[in-house]
Amino acid sequence: MLEEILKNIVEMEEEEAVKKAKEYLDGGGDPQKLLEVCRDAMGEVGSRFEKGEYFLSELILGGEIFRQIMEFTLPKLQSGSVKKIGKIVLGTVKEDVHNIGKDIFKVFAEASGFEVIDIGIDTPEEKFVEAVKEHKPDIVGMSCLITAGVTSMKKTVDKLKEAGLRDSIKIIIGGGRVDESVKEFAGADAWADDAAKGVRLCKQLIGVEG
C-alpha cells in the first residue's frame, strides 16, 4: 500500500494519494513510515523537476498533496508527545517565494522534536534578526530554491553578525541552490539539500545525535 501511495503522489494523483494515506493510517499503519514514503515521493518529484520532466505546477501540486496528508498524519506522530529537543527559526530568504522545501523540512524537524517558528517566505534580513531576538532559537534555518536567494542568505548572516547574535546560534541553509561553496560564501554552519539530512545535521549542531 505504501508503494501505491508513493506512486500516486509522484504521478500527481491527488485524490487517490490522500484517500489511500487515510486508509493506511485508519488500518493501523505506521505514521512514521507514511511520512518517510511522502518524503521519498517528494524527493522523486523534486528530481523530476531538476531533470526538466516536471515543472513548477507539479512541484506545487506535489507540495499540496504532501500538506494534505501531513494534516492527518502529524497529529498521530506527535501524539507520542515528542519531547522538545531544541528550537529553530525557519524562513525562506528574501527574493524567494518557495515554501515547499521549507514546509517539508518543518514537518520533519517537528516530528523529530524541534519546536519550529516559521517566519514565512521572501523574508527580509531584519525579520530573521527580530525572530532570533524574540524567540532565542538554537538554530536558524534558511531556505532558497533560486540563485538570487544565495546573496540574501549571506546578507542575513551578516545582519545577524551586526546584531551580535551570530555566536549564540547555529545556521543551516537548505534548498536546491545550496552546496558547500554556498555555505562558505554565506557564512553558515551547515547545508542540506533534503529535509531528512537537514534535521539530522540540526541534531548534530546542537549535540543531539541524529
Side-chain angles (χ1 to χ4, degrees), residues 32 35 74 77-78 82-86 105-115 195-196 199-200 203 208:
Q32 183 67 44
L35 234 182
L74 270 187
L77 208 60
Q78 289 164 341
V82 187
K83 185 170 125 321
K84 294 283 175 265
I85 58 174
F105 173 80
K106 181 183 176 185
V107 163
F108 283 99
E110 288 179 339
S112 294
F114 282 99
E115 180 188 346
V199 171
R200 201 168 63 244
K203 286 180 171 177
V208 179

Side-chain angles (χ1 to χ4, degrees), residues 74 94 128 140 142 150 163 190-192:
L74 270 187
K94 195 173 172 190
F128 275 101
V140 171
M142 294 181 221
V150 172
W191 69 278

Side-chain angles (χ1 to χ4, degrees), residues 140-159:
V140 171
M142 294 181 221
S143 165
C144 87
L145 274 183
I146 57 169
T147 313
V150 172
T151 308
S152 298
M153 284 179 169
K154 179 172 172 50
K155 284 182 181 164
T156 305
V157 175
D158 289 345
K159 274 274 190 282

